[in-house]
Amino acid sequence: MNSRKQALDKATTLIEALPWMSRFHGRTVVVKYGGNAMTDPELQDRFAENIVFLRYAGLRPVVVHGGGPQIKAHLERVGLESTFAGGLRVTTPETMDIVRMVLVGQVNRDIVGRINRHGPFAVGLSGEDARMMTAERKPAMVDGEPVDIGLVGEVTEVDAAVVDTLLDDGRIPVVSSVARSGEGVYNVNADTAAAALAAGLGASKLIMLTDIEGLYADYPACEELISRLSATELEHLLPDLSSGMVPKMEACLRAVRGGVPQAHVLDGRTPNSLLLEVFTNDGIGTMVVPDDAPHDVFGGPA
């Protein structure tokens, strides 16, 4: 009887996923991969399985990754201290060499390798490749004042042609968050890079995997999770958010203002959180939508 109930539960889960699979079949979904989910081997393997599942389910997944923990570890090994301002890493020319090496040569190859255990899908890229992302120097805002944080860029232009070509060929692009400028190579916050690429691709979803469950109403005084909010509501909340949350929520705002129907912040430490968001009725985390988004169960385009 137990096995019969388990089988029925699995069938119910599959049926529940059907309308979502129909809704998003052929749609592009940009997934920003970061945080501690990138350092736990079990979660790394589960993430790769989730991405391949999306591809087999008929979606067109694109992975944009950072590598904060790996960069920090490598900087410590060579005796360089990580410093931050306004939630962004201060990047000197010496630090930039390490950032580029770790993101493009280590983290990207690891993600590509894990995905490709399941088939010939993943192709590694960086924002430099085919001038996919062009950036300009960006200061951090600390207490309302601009602060120079070195070779850190803001994406100003996206040419998504190479990513579209790979998607049309059934591949899974895996993109490192570095970009070109007239001055050289910039470190680009992976949250903002993912948002810019999602808008440039006309993606149906941006999903941000992070180390918290989502956005709280009044953290730490209140731990009530905000499940959905509009772009304008988020804009009003931004000045009061913690420095670590600001780049993530600014990225969500940029995405929906750029035409992406939904942007989500999920806890990447939860196994299969990606699939729970895409294929279940309840969803998880916090979803940001345009001001005029319908309040139906799907919260997205028809």
Side-chain angles (χ1 to χ4, degrees):
M1 184 65 72
N2 232 12
S3 60
R4 178 180 173 82
K5 183 181 184 307
Q6 288 176 348
L8 288 172
D9 287 344
K10 288 179 181 178
T12 300
T13 300
L14 290 172
I15 292 300
E16 182 181 325
L18 181 60
W20 301 96
M21 293 172 74
S22 173
R23 189 80 166 193
F24 291 109
H25 186 87
R27 305 273 187 163
T28 299
V29 176
V30 175
V31 181
K32 186 269 175 172
Y33 180 42
N36 288 325
M38 299 183 71
T39 59
D40 181 320
E42 184 176 345
L43 289 176
Q44 289 171 337
D45 288 337
R46 192 64 59 87
F47 171 79
E49 291 170 356
N50 283 197
I51 291 294
V52 173
F53 188 99
L54 294 182
R55 194 273 188 192
Y56 274 127
L59 284 73
R60 291 157 45 107
V62 179
V63 177
V64 178
H65 69 85
Q70 294 90 337
I71 292 169
K72 180 176 183 291
H74 199 95
L75 290 172
E76 288 175 350
R77 281 199 295 271
V78 299
L80 293 175
E81 184 180 352
S82 295
T83 56
F84 292 83
L88 299 172
R89 183 184 302 276
V90 177
T91 306
T92 64
E94 188 177 18
T95 303
M96 186 65 226
D97 288 341
I98 291 174
V99 167
R100 195 181 189 190
M101 177 185 70
V102 171
L103 290 182
V104 180
Q106 176 187 334
V107 178
N108 188 275
R109 302 319 307 166
D110 182 67
I111 298 169
V112 167
R114 289 176 189 274
I115 292 173
N116 284 344
R117 290 174 188 171
H118 304 280
F121 302 127
V123 177
L125 302 164
S126 80
E128 295 180 75
D129 293 328
R131 294 188 179 178
M132 186 196 316
M133 295 183 192
T134 302
E136 64 180 25
R137 199 175 181 112
K138 175 189 178 180
M141 299 301 294
V142 179
D143 297 328
E145 297 293 329
V147 175
D148 181 26
I149 50 176
L151 299 177
V152 175
E154 177 77 23
V155 177
T156 56
E157 186 178 342
V158 172
D159 182 349
V162 66
V163 176
D164 269 325
T165 298
L166 289 169
L167 290 170
D168 290 343
D169 193 38
R171 309 299 176 183
I172 300 173
V174 179
V175 183
S176 300
S177 56
V178 294
R180 263 284 168 200
S181 75
E183 298 176 317
V185 182
Y186 280 154
N187 181 17
V188 178
N189 179 271
D191 300 325
T192 57
L197 187 56
L201 286 166
S204 291
K205 274 182 181 285
L206 168 65
I207 299 176
M208 317 275 287
L209 296 180
T210 183
D211 289 340
I212 61 169
E213 295 178 3
L215 185 63
Y216 295 103
D218 185 21
Y219 187 83
C222 173
E223 294 188 10
E224 179 185 351
L225 193 67
I226 301 173
S227 60
R228 171 182 170 134
L229 73 167
S230 70
T232 296
E233 289 169 336
L234 174 56
E235 203 166 32
H236 291 156
L237 287 177
L238 277 175
D240 297 321
L241 298 182
S242 66
S243 61
M245 280 301 292
V246 167
K248 295 172 177 55
M249 300 316 299
E250 281 184 340
C252 290
L253 183 61
R254 175 173 182 168
V256 297
R257 293 283 197 221
V260 179
Q262 308 172 11
H264 305 257
V265 176
L266 310 181
D267 190 345
R269 300 167 301 179
T270 302
N272 300 321
S273 59
L274 191 53
L275 301 186
L276 290 171
E277 173 50 49
V278 177
F279 295 119
T280 65
N281 292 336
D282 294 331
I284 57 174
T286 296
M287 177 171 69
V288 182
V289 296
D291 293 332
D292 58 354
H295 285 268
D296 64 1
V297 65
F298 292 101

